[in-house]
Amino acid sequence: MHDSPPPRPHLVLMALAVGVCALGMDMFVLIGVLDPLAADLAMTPRQAGWIISAYAICYALCAPINVMLFGRIDRRLALVLGPVLFTAGNVICVCGSGIIAIVVGRLICAFGGALFMPTAIATAQDIVPAERKGIALSSIYGGMTLAQAAGIPAVTWLAQTAGWRAALYGVIASGLIAILALSALASQLRPSTNSNTSNSVRRGAFGLPVAGLLATTFLIVVSDYAVYSYVSIIFEQTRLSGVPILPLVLFAFGIGGVIGNIATGILTDRIGPTRVLLGTVATQTLLLIAVVLGRANGAAAVALSLLWGATTYMYLVPIQHRLLSRADTAQRLVLALNGSLVNFGIAAGAAIGGMALERGGPSALIVPAGAIGVAAILTGGIFVPRRKGDPH
């Protein structure tokens, strides 16, 4: 899928970023409201964590299936239908009165997100020249980091002051804005499908290099989410000048994400994906351990969360840059599989972190975060370096 670019590609990237921001709000809203949600539904934190896992598993399963089933539909439809679905899922969560309604709503959200995200990434990389793909990808993920910098702290504050359902109203509003922006985007795009997916699979586009990159993604996310899934629990008792610190921690994390996202696009284009990714994962692993150990100190927690947020998304651009160069014509399917591994990693990280939390308290989270982070560094060191045909 390589069409000529639209007349105003910057507008397309902006609209896609708005959609990704809304998806980020949807994906991460439960992270900030996990504690009040668990209390309202009389659940343990580990049980509530399984709602996060259910969403992640559904997204992981649906992303490649959606590409195979809907790969021939006009991408303009996929870009609008995805936000419609994840907005509708949140409406079900708000209107429901128990755990079943919430789980059903979250599964619909996951299906919509899995339809939208691979199409958005493939569209973004398709409308820019090769030397600017890193910048284009970071522009898209700018929406995700904006959600964490401003949106998630805001809805977390809403959850603490007006209940977790109030937070979901904020997510619904962001979804409606995305639907409007992406509907306007349709006029800037030419019709396009992904008809070569099955042929690419038959030709063996998914060799060991691609599998290794996907495995690296999985390990990075498991390490990160073993801690991040329980951030509301980790900082439950932490205060700064007598004020609960969680909204400030999430705000600092999101601001760091914005900074890191800008940096990763520039650095990936200038010094190559290998150095960016390996440096990022090594730094993130150390920060995960530091965040857990320094959780009682409010000022230190905010500073560490800023640095942690800066590294969290920096792995996405270099890995997807490599995937795009190695996936032949199956780019949309490979990106969907990478998204699947991200969400399987979220589910696994939440589950592993929950077991560690139950057995040893917050301090025990450093064990899975550290060990799996080291495994990610080793795997990335093998599969991310340049191979024949890579642009860097």
Side-chain angles (χ1 to χ4, degrees):
M1 184 176 71
H2 290 282
D3 301 328
S4 57
R8 291 182 286 182
H10 62 285
L11 293 181
V12 175
L13 292 176
M14 287 176 60
L16 292 173
V18 170
V20 173
C21 181
L23 178 59
M25 295 279 288
D26 174 64
M27 290 179 71
F28 301 121
V29 62
L30 289 193
I31 298 292
V33 307
L34 195 64
D35 196 39
L37 174 67
D40 186 41
L41 298 179
M43 303 170 68
T44 67
R46 183 182 177 186
Q47 289 171 330
W50 279 108
I51 300 176
I52 298 174
S53 296
Y55 175 100
I57 291 170
C58 181
Y59 187 113
L61 293 174
C62 288
I65 293 173
N66 283 351
V67 172
M68 299 298 288
L69 291 179
F70 303 112
R72 293 180 181 274
I73 70 170
D74 191 330
R75 66 181 173 187
R76 297 176 298 182
L77 175 59
L79 288 172
V80 176
L81 181 58
V84 167
L85 287 171
F86 63 70
T87 301
N90 282 299
V91 171
I92 292 173
C93 291
V94 167
C95 296
S97 58
I99 186 64
I100 294 177
I102 292 172
V103 171
V104 170
R106 294 302 292 164
L107 294 181
I108 294 172
C109 290
F111 183 85
L115 178 62
F116 170 75
M117 193 63 178
T119 308
I121 297 171
T123 300
Q125 68 85 34
D126 203 44
I127 63 174
V128 297
E131 66 274 11
R132 294 188 59 81
K133 291 190 185 300
I135 294 292
L137 289 172
S138 67
S139 298
I140 296 302
Y141 283 110
M144 192 74 72
T145 56
L146 180 61
Q148 289 196 309
I152 297 304
V155 297
T156 299
W157 176 81
L158 278 174
Q160 293 181 340
T161 58
W164 60 269
R165 283 187 172 84
L168 291 186
Y169 282 120
V171 178
I172 291 169
S174 71
L176 294 174
I177 294 171
I179 293 168
L180 293 175
L182 290 162
S183 297
L185 160 69
S187 64
Q188 293 290 316
L189 288 177
R190 295 173 178 82
S192 181
T193 62
N194 194 45
S195 58
N196 293 324
T197 296
S198 60
N199 291 335
S200 298
V201 173
R202 285 196 295 268
R203 288 199 305 268
F206 304 102
L208 184 60
V210 169
L213 289 171
L214 296 176
T216 303
T217 291
F218 176 74
L219 292 170
I220 292 170
V221 178
V222 173
S223 173
D224 193 27
Y225 274 79
V227 176
Y228 186 59
S229 296
Y230 299 96
V231 68
S232 65
I233 309 299
I234 294 169
F235 296 111
E236 181 181 7
Q237 303 299 325
T238 308
R239 299 289 187 273
L240 184 63
S241 300
V243 177
I245 203 173
L246 180 60
L248 186 56
V249 162
L250 292 173
F251 178 72
F253 183 94
I255 291 297
V258 172
I259 296 170
N261 184 69
I262 294 170
T264 191
I266 297 171
L267 291 172
T268 298
D269 284 339
R270 291 187 178 180
I271 67 174
T274 303
R275 294 176 184 175
V276 175
L277 185 120
L278 295 181
T280 294
V281 180
T283 303
Q284 178 182 280
T285 302
L286 293 174
L287 285 169
L288 288 171
I289 296 171
V291 164
V292 174
L293 294 180
R295 66 189 181 277
N297 185 308
V302 173
L304 289 169
S305 296
L306 177 70
L307 298 173
W308 177 21
T311 62
T312 289
Y313 284 107
M314 288 188 72
Y315 80 92
L316 283 167
V317 170
I319 280 191
Q320 297 201 71
H321 198 284
R322 282 288 190 246
L323 286 171
L324 289 169
S325 68
R326 297 177 183 176
D328 194 24
T329 55
Q331 290 178 347
R332 189 172 162 195
L333 181 57
V334 170
L335 291 171
L337 289 171
N338 193 62
S340 290
L341 268 297
V342 168
N343 282 274
F344 274 130
I346 292 173
I352 293 169
M355 289 187 287
L357 191 66
E358 255 188 12
R359 294 183 181 184
S363 295
L365 294 173
I366 65 174
V367 177
I372 299 169
V374 170
I377 295 169
L378 295 175
T379 306
I382 294 171
F383 292 103
V384 176
R386 183 185 179 191
R387 296 170 184 268
K388 185 177 180 180
D390 288 338
H392 289 285

